[in-house]
């Protein structure tokens, strides 16, 4: 095992992926009303280079991270965030999160990719963070689910 790593998870969502992408790109401050895991979002959003501060619960603990939005690719529906401050940097020298939304007719998928470098070899892989992204994506999906007639 090395210090650098990459984890990827893909989650199918039932609502249109364009809406999911729009929320993260332009309206992340709405996230606290859609998931119990994100408590507050502050900063600026919607432009490359902006910084966003998330307060969230992960692995039973309240944490904070400040990200710079490095990439906005509207054509491919990719957003890339690099952690510049916060709890995650206590264990990881670098921590990049990439959100990609794929839409094809009725099929909508969100792919979360984490690229990281641990500060020390004995630090575990950030599997709890990957589980966190999966869980809040599912909570957002439940929030947007259409009621059954």
């Amino acid at each position: 095992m090395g210090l650098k790593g990459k984890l990827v998870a893909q989650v199918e969502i039932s609502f249109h992926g364009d809406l999911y992408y729009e929320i993260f790109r332009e309206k992340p401050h709405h996230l606290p009303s859609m998931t119990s895991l994100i408590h507050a979002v502050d900063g600026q959003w919607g432009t490359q280079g902006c910084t966003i501060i998330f307060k969230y619960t992960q692995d039973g603990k309240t944490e904070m991270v400040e990200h710079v939005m490095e990439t906005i690719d509207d054509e491919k529906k990719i957003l890339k965030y690099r952690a510049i401050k916060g709890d995650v940097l206590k264990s990881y020298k670098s921590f990049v999160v990439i959100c990609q939304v794929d839409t094809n007719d009725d099929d909508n998928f969100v792919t979360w990719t984490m690229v990281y470098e641990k500060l020390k070899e004995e630090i575990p892989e950030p599997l709890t963070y990957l589980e966190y992204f999966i869980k809040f994506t599912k909570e957002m999906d439940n929030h947007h689910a259409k009621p059954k007639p």
Side-chain angles (χ1 to χ4, degrees), residues 29-129:
H29 56 292
H30 291 200
L31 290 169
S33 68
M34 298 176 199
T35 173
S36 65
L37 299 174
I38 299 175
H39 309 296
V41 180
D42 198 6
Q44 299 175 343
W45 38 80
T47 59
Q48 205 159 299
C50 67
T51 58
I52 306 169
I53 300 168
F54 291 92
K55 292 184 183 162
Y56 58 96
T57 298
Q58 195 279 127
D59 202 22
K61 297 176 283 205
T62 300
E63 296 187 356
M64 179 281 294
V65 66
E66 183 174 346
H67 289 285
V68 63
M69 189 177 274
E70 287 190 339
T71 302
I72 299 173
D73 186 333
D74 291 334
E75 185 178 323
K76 295 180 182 175
K77 297 184 190 97
I78 297 174
L79 301 170
K80 180 178 176 183
Y81 304 87
R82 176 176 301 279
I84 57 173
K85 292 181 187 172
D87 294 290
V88 71
L89 295 179
K90 293 176 184 174
S91 299
Y92 301 94
K93 181 178 180 180
S94 65
F95 201 84
V96 175
V97 176
I98 302 163
C99 175
Q100 181 170 5
V101 179
D102 295 300
T103 57
N104 185 8
D105 297 324
D106 290 337
D107 296 327
N108 296 280
F109 294 93
V110 178
T111 303
W112 290 102
T113 303
M114 295 184 308
V115 180
Y116 58 90
E117 183 175 357
K118 300 185 285 187
L119 289 173
K120 298 183 231 170
E121 185 71 39
E122 58 272 9
I123 292 172
E125 307 306 312
L127 293 172
T128 58
Y129 284 97

